[in-house]
Amino acid sequence: MITLKGKSVFGGVAIGKIAFYKRKEQQIKRIHVEDTQAEIKRFEEAKAEAIEQLKGLHEKALANVGEANAMIFEIHQMMLEDLDYNESIHNIITTQEVNAEYAVGTTADNFAAMFAAMDDAYMQGRAADVKDVSERLVAVLSGEGEGGLHTDEPAIIAADDLVPSETVQLDKSKVLGFATMYGSSNSHTAILARTMSIPAVIGLGEELSPNFDGKMAIIDGFSGCVYVDPDEETMKAMKEKQEEDRKQKELLNELKGKENVTKSGQKINLYANIGSISDIGLVLKNDAGGVGLFRSEFLYLENDTFPTEEQQFSVYKKAAESMAGKKVIIRTLDIGADKQVDYFELEKEENPALGYRAIRICLTRPEIFKTQLRALYRASAFGQIAIMFPMITSVWEVKKIKEIVEEVKKELREEGITFREDVEMGIMIETPAAVMVSRDLAKEVDFFSIGTNDLTQYTLAIDRQNLKLDPFYDPHHPAVLEMIRIAAESAHAEGKWIGICGELGADLELTETFLKMGIDELSVSPSMILPIRKKIRETE
């Protein structure tokens, strides 16, 4: 048995023979042409046909994976229409008097290299896209059909990597799962794979050999492992894991569309925690009522410099639109403590958990804060966005935040930019100080969300990053639960709602306790939505 370790893209267990994806090798030859205008016309006709193919793929993707994930094929159409891209191809044909295939291939190589060299992770990802659309063009020009999967029986698809157009065209009835040598968990391919619920592992490296074609294998999408020629013991264990997963999915599917209501009629909202726009598919797939925590700091962690207003606006807008009217609560940047970013140039601190972080950075560096707030308010015109502020300890902080918010709204009005005036504003309750003044804080905001990870850390005076202290770290500690109860009581006394977005929200042992406290919302990882719904519906 050979064990390969990679990165999980989507959980699940797939058992079957490996089929290596046979991609047509495009041998592009440089051919001298006499009539360059005729060659340009041939290119333009091929481009029109490629655009029609992409429109068809877009329609298919809309039906299979939804609008947000089908957008890649609209982006590919736009790439084919890009002026710089077209001008490069025209120039190479005209000046070098060569065939269109060669001009497209050369342009693709140049553009892909340019994108790959950029610092921005999003732009780096476009290198694969420009290659994908160019290969489609060359296939049309050379009269080749589209590549694809050719297997008579369901199989585990293996490849060096799969581009979006290949992934969406996979016949799901023939695909048990897929494994790739390369790829990124934030790529369009990974997003589509998650949304299509195909067990997948990427980044297996060149140990994933084409020599494995036809061999029996197992993908364990939960652990990120692929077993080639599995032994009897591994096969037995994986079949049991697969059966357990199947039963769980059946159970969860039965709960989709059901209310989060106890037997006695008490209702609670179930929302999802996400770290990036790519997680939206999981939110929808697991039937969450909304997004209760969008960790915006990942925009900063993934960048080499401060994300611009436009970058942030694009992400927040897409999140709002993708959730189609459901609430999306976006937490302003929570940098500091265990989340360090070099370009913030934060000084080394003796105790960063108690240091310069989150709202403390925002209030002392308002230019960073205002950029994010402008992007958030602009995006509010496209859906149900709410804004949440982390690490609050005092009423004055909230009042200062509200002053800055008013300045931003005034600027946007003067610039004639549309936004929603009634955006809900809430705060994280994650310090004992916030709990103790929670009644006063509730007068200033629309909602509370309890960050139980930090609240436990600060209440117990235990660094949650210190593994030596694990035996002492008790999130079920009576003091922690009492803090949550007090915050809930304060919120309700002022007519405000309260949720929990920390790890404790997904703790099934505490669901009933939270219901008794009157917690209005639980926000958890997408995979925990339906198990918690089950627990709620079974509770008296």
Side-chain angles (χ1 to χ4, degrees):
M1 179 176 77
I2 300 170
T3 302
L4 307 177
K5 179 67 178 169
K7 189 171 184 178
S8 174
V9 169
F10 186 80
V13 175
I15 302 172
K17 289 183 178 177
I18 290 177
F20 254 82
Y21 192 88
K22 303 291 194 299
R23 190 177 291 114
K24 287 189 177 179
E25 290 296 324
Q26 294 178 324
Q27 297 294 331
I28 300 176
K29 293 181 181 178
R30 179 185 173 118
I31 300 171
H32 176 74
V33 297
E34 295 291 341
D35 191 344
T36 55
Q37 287 307 308
E39 200 63 16
I40 287 174
K41 183 183 177 187
R42 195 166 77 88
F43 159 69
E44 291 294 337
E45 288 171 351
K47 183 176 74 174
E49 185 176 334
I51 288 172
E52 286 305 309
Q53 288 180 4
L54 288 165
K55 285 178 180 175
L57 283 174
H58 180 257
E59 291 301 315
K60 183 173 182 178
L62 271 178
N64 287 339
V65 296
E67 185 175 351
N69 294 304
M71 197 179 296
I72 178 59
F73 301 111
E74 287 189 332
I75 292 171
H76 281 195
Q77 289 175 58
M78 289 163 61
M79 281 185 167
L80 282 175
E81 298 283 14
D82 182 76
L83 290 176
D84 291 334
Y85 180 79
N86 280 266
E87 188 177 318
S88 171
I89 293 167
H90 284 203
N91 283 344
I92 291 172
I93 292 172
T94 305
T95 60
Q96 299 184 32
E97 298 181 339
V98 291
N99 55 318
E101 290 92 334
Y102 180 80
V104 170
T106 302
T107 297
D109 289 343
N110 292 341
F111 274 57
M114 178 182 68
F115 283 129
M118 291 182 180
D119 291 334
D120 186 279
Y122 176 84
M123 297 309 292
Q124 288 172 355
R126 303 291 67 77
D129 291 328
V130 76
K131 284 184 177 179
D132 193 6
V133 295
S134 300
E135 284 171 6
R136 179 178 299 280
L137 257 179
V138 171
V140 174
L141 284 163
S142 58
E144 295 177 0
E146 291 187 58
L149 173 66
H150 306 288
T151 177
D152 295 328
E153 59 179 339
I156 290 171
I157 310 308
D160 54 354
D161 197 3
L162 289 168
V163 297
S165 56
E166 291 169 338
T167 309
V168 81
Q169 289 179 92
L170 293 175
D171 181 350
K172 287 176 72 178
S173 66
K174 299 285 178 66
V175 181
L176 299 172
F178 73 75
T180 64
M181 297 179 188
Y182 315 113
S184 157
S185 57
N186 291 318
S187 67
H188 293 294
T189 304
I191 296 167
L192 289 170
R194 284 194 290 263
T195 313
M196 292 166 73
S197 303
I198 299 173
V201 176
I202 62 172
L204 291 160
E206 293 183 12
E207 289 181 18
L208 179 64
S209 167
N211 294 331
F212 295 153
D213 192 62
K215 289 184 179 290
M216 182 60 69
I218 300 171
I219 287 181
D220 183 352
F222 298 108
S223 67
C225 287
V226 175
Y227 305 97
V228 183
D229 282 337
D231 55 36
E232 286 185 22
E233 187 180 348
T234 303
M235 180 66 80
K236 182 173 180 288
M238 287 296 107
K239 281 185 174 177
E240 288 173 359
K241 196 171 186 177
Q242 187 181 48
E243 178 61 17
E244 183 59 36
D245 183 46
R246 186 191 64 77
K247 287 178 180 176
Q248 181 73 0
K249 283 175 180 171
E250 278 185 8
L251 168 71
L252 300 184
N253 283 329
E254 289 172 9
L255 289 169
K256 284 185 179 178
K258 301 282 179 70
E259 283 192 301
N260 310 307
V261 59
T262 64
K263 288 182 177 180
S264 55
Q266 183 181 348
K267 292 183 180 179
I268 189 168
N269 287 322
L270 272 184
Y271 291 173
N273 296 338
I274 63 173
S276 74
I277 194 69
S278 63
D279 296 329
I280 292 285
L282 288 173
V283 176
L284 298 172
K285 177 179 179 293
N286 288 280
D287 199 32
V291 174
L293 169 61
F294 186 122
R295 301 179 179 93
S296 70
E297 59 269 17
F298 283 93
L299 277 168
Y300 296 80
L301 290 166
E302 292 167 359
N303 255 29
D304 293 327
T305 186
F306 295 102
T308 65
E309 181 181 325
E310 288 304 319
Q311 275 180 288
Q312 295 189 63
F313 166 66
S314 175
V315 170
Y316 305 147
K317 174 177 177 279
K318 188 174 179 183
E321 289 178 330
S322 299
M323 290 305 294
K326 291 182 178 180
K327 189 175 289 186
V328 180
I329 302 175
I330 299 175
R331 180 175 70 189
T332 56
L333 71 95
D334 189 8
I335 295 296
D338 57 326
K339 288 171 281 194
Q340 294 292 321
V341 180
D342 289 343
Y343 59 82
F344 270 74
E345 297 181 349
L346 302 179
E347 292 180 9
K348 186 172 175 59
E349 296 178 298
E350 292 278 335
N351 194 337
L354 301 180
Y356 187 54
R357 58 174 294 197
I359 203 64
R360 297 165 185 174
I361 294 175
C362 291
L363 292 180
T364 53
R365 297 175 73 173
E367 71 284 357
I368 299 172
F369 195 30
K370 277 189 167 185
T371 298
Q372 182 170 34
L373 288 173
R374 281 179 59 91
L376 285 165
Y377 271 93
R378 285 174 60 195
S380 71
F382 299 89
Q384 193 70 16
I385 280 179
I387 305 174
M388 181 161 70
F389 306 98
M391 274 299 290
I392 298 297
T393 59
S394 305
V395 173
W396 76 262
E397 292 168 330
V398 179
K399 289 185 174 178
K400 183 63 180 174
I401 289 167
K402 289 165 85 173
E403 283 178 21
I404 296 172
V405 166
E406 286 307 313
E407 288 173 17
V408 165
K409 288 163 78 171
K410 183 173 181 246
E411 286 175 9
L412 293 174
R413 283 190 207 102
E414 289 172 351
E415 293 168 29
I417 295 173
T418 306
F419 64 92
R420 273 190 28 235
E421 292 279 359
D422 61 344
V423 172
E424 273 190 295
M425 286 199 300
I427 59 169
M428 298 278 290
I429 300 290
E430 47 195 338
T431 65
V435 172
M436 298 312 292
V437 295
S438 54
R439 185 72 186 265
D440 292 328
L441 288 169
K443 291 179 170 70
E444 299 291 333
V445 297
D446 300 306
F447 66 92
F448 287 164
S449 189
I450 301 175
T452 55
N453 302 354
D454 270 332
L455 184 60
T456 303
Q457 170 174 254
Y458 295 132
T459 301
L460 301 182
I462 289 176
D463 179 1
R464 58 190 173 99
Q465 305 294 325
N466 190 333
L467 297 178
K468 291 180 182 177
L469 298 177
D470 271 2
F472 301 94
Y473 186 82
D474 178 17
H476 289 212
H477 194 290
V480 175
L481 298 180
E482 180 64 8
M483 290 277 180
I484 295 171
R485 188 197 65 75
I486 292 170
E489 195 175 84
S490 295
H492 293 149
E494 296 298 328
K496 309 300 167 62
W497 66 266
I498 183 168
I500 295 174
C501 64
E503 292 299 317
L504 276 192
D507 191 329
L508 293 167
E509 291 179 28
L510 290 175
T511 305
E512 191 171 340
T513 300
F514 294 147
L515 287 164
K516 286 178 181 175
M517 288 180 184
I519 297 296
D520 303 293
E521 174 245 32
L522 295 173
S523 189
V524 297
S525 62
S527 61
M528 285 303 297
I529 293 290
L530 296 175
I532 293 172
R533 180 173 295 167
K534 178 176 181 288
K535 179 72 174 179
I536 291 168
R537 293 175 65 85
E538 290 172 350
T539 302
E540 288 289 352

